[in-house]
Amino acid sequence: MSNVLNLVAPSFIGISYLSQALEMKGLLETFGAKFDLPDNFEENEDTFLELLPQLIHQFPLYFTRCGSDVEVESAFFSLISMIQLLSQVDQIEETSKKLSNAIVADTNKERLLLKSKLLSQQFNCYQPSLSSTYVLLVNVLKLVVETGQLRNCSLDIDQISDWMTKWKSDVQEQRVIYRLLHEAFSAVQQGEKAIQALVRLLKLYSENEGVEAKSDAHICVISHIAHPKIFVMDHLLDLHPIRALDGQLSHELLQIFVNGDLNDYIEFYNNNLDFVEKLAVTHEENLRKMRLLTLASMAQDCSEIEFSQLVEKLNLATEELEPFVIEAIGSGLIKGKINEPEGKISISSTINRTFKEPQWLFIMNKLEMWQKNLVIIQESMRKGHFSVPIGGG
């Protein structure tokens, strides 16, 4: 017997494995199940091995015919205990997959939450290093998508990525997982994680394959635009499925949210009303984000911005400026202070909407300056006096 469980699953205490199987067989027969065993079968290991896959095949009857969730759960863990009795790890893995597949393939919609719970518990029972847990995870995710509930397991994208490395999952298997993760996180209203899973999915497509994922790429673009806390999107432009959208309106809109300003968006909106109105994000929400992004771009070029400039560039009334700037500071887009008496805002820092060669050169220059300052400070300390560092600090 191979121990591949993370925990000991409950079973019928004090009853032999064959007695458990025969007791379950008898109950399932009252539910209408048919079994292929000879009338004069012997109570031995061969009979058990012949009966176990039939019990797994008939197990979904519990969901429609058994009155108690507790009894269904007990029978489920009894099957897991029986599977654990198999002598070879590959037998355990294959039989475990059959049990998981039998549950998820059941078309009856009753007790979906219970099914989801059992599949999650089964997945948690087995060591994640086993390659069969890939199938168990796929089925868990399918039920999360169907139920819109995530109660009995935690989904960590980085951990799942590490598991897929251990499972030696091929590209297609990874795509299945990331697509299901995206759908599962969307179903449970975890939008940011859904977007992370979708980006990982798109990274799995080569230049020649990018066109295959254009629909996913469109969803990815609109999801980024619609998310109220996502402002930097230039990394999307390097993804091959996103590049495959070139020439389409969703790609043009993404370019505006990466590099454009409020006026660019308003012009796009006026030219493509039908397209924008059908998106899963409103025109008003787009205006809000583009005003914030436009302010971030303005703040990159100067340390102070006059209120009059903001009124003109952002198409805001004077009385709307202060709450808008407070929102921009609160969102982390800029750091600064409102100087109301002088009618301006002072900027100390802002995000980079794009991070390309100029930004890397800026960082390199900063690091070189800090390095020179350290040399000056070290030399001053050696001589017993201090010099003013380059740049005043």
Side-chain angles (χ1 to χ4, degrees), residues 228 231 287-297 314 324 327-329 331 333-334:
F231 297 100
L287 285 174
R288 168 197 168 271
K289 180 172 279 192
M290 279 309 308
R291 285 192 174 102
L292 290 168
L293 291 171
T294 302
L295 172 59
S297 294
L314 303 179
F324 171 78
E327 180 186 3
I329 294 172
S331 68
L333 274 173
I334 63 170

Side-chain angles (χ1 to χ4, degrees), residues 138-169:
V138 166
N139 288 338
V140 167
L141 293 174
K142 287 179 179 178
L143 264 293
V144 172
V145 172
E146 193 165 4
T147 62
Q149 299 287 334
L150 182 60
R151 298 179 179 177
N152 304 290
C153 65
S154 59
L155 300 177
D156 183 281
I157 297 177
D158 290 330
Q159 184 181 61
I160 291 172
S161 178
D162 290 341
W163 287 340
M164 286 195 286
T165 300
K166 293 178 181 177
W167 299 334
K168 298 181 180 179
S169 301

Side-chain angles (χ1 to χ4, degrees), residues 53-88:
Q54 297 183 57
L55 292 174
I56 289 172
H57 178 70
Q58 300 289 354
F59 177 76
L61 285 172
Y62 272 91
F63 295 112
T64 56
R65 301 298 300 274
C66 188
S68 167
D69 285 1
V70 174
E71 291 181 31
V72 177
E73 196 165 350
S74 178
F76 175 77
F77 278 113
S78 181
L79 280 176
I80 288 183
S81 297
M82 293 181 204
I83 293 171
Q84 176 71 357
L85 292 166
L86 298 174
S87 59
Q88 301 295 324

Side-chain angles (χ1 to χ4, degrees), residues 230-243:
I230 294 178
F231 297 100
V232 178
M233 309 178 209
D234 64 320
H235 60 286
L236 298 181
L237 296 174
D238 294 328
L239 300 175
H240 294 300
I242 300 292
R243 291 181 178 181

Side-chain angles (χ1 to χ4, degrees), residues 45-316:
E45 183 176 350
D46 289 340
T47 298
F48 169 76
L49 293 176
E50 188 176 353
L51 181 56
L52 181 56
Q54 297 183 57
L55 292 174
I56 289 172
H57 178 70
Q58 300 289 354
F59 177 76
L61 285 172
Y62 272 91
F63 295 112
T64 56
R65 301 298 300 274
C66 188
S68 167
D69 285 1
V70 174
E71 291 181 31
V72 177
E73 196 165 350
S74 178
F76 175 77
F77 278 113
S78 181
L79 280 176
I80 288 183
S81 297
M82 293 181 204
I83 293 171
Q84 176 71 357
L85 292 166
L86 298 174
S87 59
Q88 301 295 324
V89 172
D90 59 347
Q91 287 180 298
I92 294 174
E93 292 195 73
E94 287 304 311
T95 311
S96 298
K97 289 192 290 187
K98 288 178 181 177
L99 176 58
S100 179
N101 288 335
I103 293 173
V104 81
D106 181 29
T107 57
N108 194 292
K109 300 302 181 183
E110 292 187 39
R111 290 175 161 167
L112 284 176
L113 288 176
L114 177 60
K115 291 178 182 179
S116 180
K117 176 183 177 182
L118 296 181
L119 289 177
S120 297
Q121 289 175 332
Q122 182 191 22
F123 177 79
N124 292 330
C125 278
Y126 289 92
Q127 298 173 7
S129 58
L130 295 173
S131 60
S132 61
T133 49
Y134 170 86
V135 172
L136 305 188
L137 178 59
V138 166
N139 288 338
V140 167
L141 293 174
K142 287 179 179 178
L143 264 293
V144 172
V145 172
E146 193 165 4
T147 62
Q149 299 287 334
L150 182 60
R151 298 179 179 177
N152 304 290
C153 65
S154 59
L155 300 177
D156 183 281
I157 297 177
D158 290 330
Q159 184 181 61
I160 291 172
S161 178
D162 290 341
W163 287 340
M164 286 195 286
T165 300
K166 293 178 181 177
W167 299 334
K168 298 181 180 179
S169 301
D170 60 29
V171 170
Q172 188 57 42
E173 289 172 333
Q174 292 178 58
R175 289 174 184 173
V176 169
I177 288 289
Y178 284 128
R179 182 171 282 108
L180 282 170
L181 279 170
H182 167 69
E183 294 174 0
F185 283 129
S186 298
V188 298
Q189 307 298 313
Q190 295 186 21
E192 195 161 346
K193 290 183 178 180
I195 289 172
Q196 291 172 11
L198 190 53
V199 170
R200 295 207 184 195
L201 169 65
L202 297 185
K203 286 181 178 180
L204 293 173
Y205 287 86
S206 67
E207 183 176 1
N208 294 332
E209 299 170 322
V211 68
E212 299 175 17
K214 286 175 68 174
S215 60
D216 293 314
H218 173 79
I219 293 171
C220 186
V221 168
I222 304 308
S223 297
H224 276 76
I225 291 172
H227 198 288
K229 295 182 180 180
I230 294 178
F231 297 100
V232 178
M233 309 178 209
D234 64 320
H235 60 286
L236 298 181
L237 296 174
D238 294 328
L239 300 175
H240 294 300
I242 300 292
R243 291 181 178 181
L245 294 175
D246 191 19
Q248 298 186 13
L249 291 176
S250 54
H251 192 273
E252 184 179 347
L253 184 60
L254 173 62
Q255 291 277 9
I256 292 171
F257 275 84
V258 170
N259 298 303
D261 61 17
L262 179 63
N263 289 333
D264 295 325
Y265 170 73
I266 292 174
E267 181 180 355
F268 177 89
Y269 174 73
N270 290 333
N271 292 333
N272 304 281
L273 282 171
D274 290 342
F275 173 78
V276 176
E277 294 298 333
K278 292 177 182 177
L279 297 177
V281 56
T282 67
H283 173 56
E284 290 71 24
E285 290 168 330
N286 288 339
L287 285 174
R288 168 197 168 271
K289 180 172 279 192
M290 279 309 308
R291 285 192 174 102
L292 290 168
L293 291 171
T294 302
L295 172 59
S297 294
M298 295 172 67
Q300 283 184 328
D301 300 327
C302 53
S303 59
E304 294 182 341
I305 305 176
E306 302 287 339
F307 284 177
S308 58
Q309 292 177 273
L310 294 176
V311 168
E312 179 182 357
K313 193 73 173 176
L314 303 179
N315 194 23
L316 288 172

